[in-house]
Amino acid sequence: MAKRDAAGWMRIYDSSPVADIDPSALYRKETSDDGGRTWEYPRPTTGEFLMLDMAEALYAQRSVDSCEGVVTIQSPHPIGGLIRYTPTP
């Protein structure tokens, strides 16, 4: 396993779009294994976990998309898929 570049990871974590997330905000996290046609396994989470997932994805050069507060991340799992974070009131 390659050694992680901690300084590189922190630069990603401390930069936009990751740093734009409010760590205390509430989100619903869901996953999709069919390209986003269906979303399953909704569970509550916070912006703090979204920030960590975003930083990990960007560090691994996976896609991260944000539109109107909803963040979609390319899954790290071998089968692929997507992870979606939707803000909750």
Side-chain angles (χ1 to χ4, degrees), residues 37-89:
R37 288 186 296 278
T38 59
W39 293 95
E40 302 174 308
Y41 312 112
R43 55 216 174 268
T45 190
T46 65
E48 179 179 2
F49 291 103
L50 169 55
M51 292 173 72
L52 292 170
D53 272 359
M54 287 175 76
E56 286 292 324
L58 292 168
Y59 183 81
Q61 300 181 343
R62 289 184 278 117
S63 68
V64 174
D65 182 48
S66 180
C67 183
E68 298 181 13
V70 177
V71 178
T72 306
I73 300 171
Q74 183 182 2
S75 175
H77 302 292
I79 63 168
L82 300 169
I83 303 167
R84 177 173 71 183
Y85 286 85
T86 306
T88 58

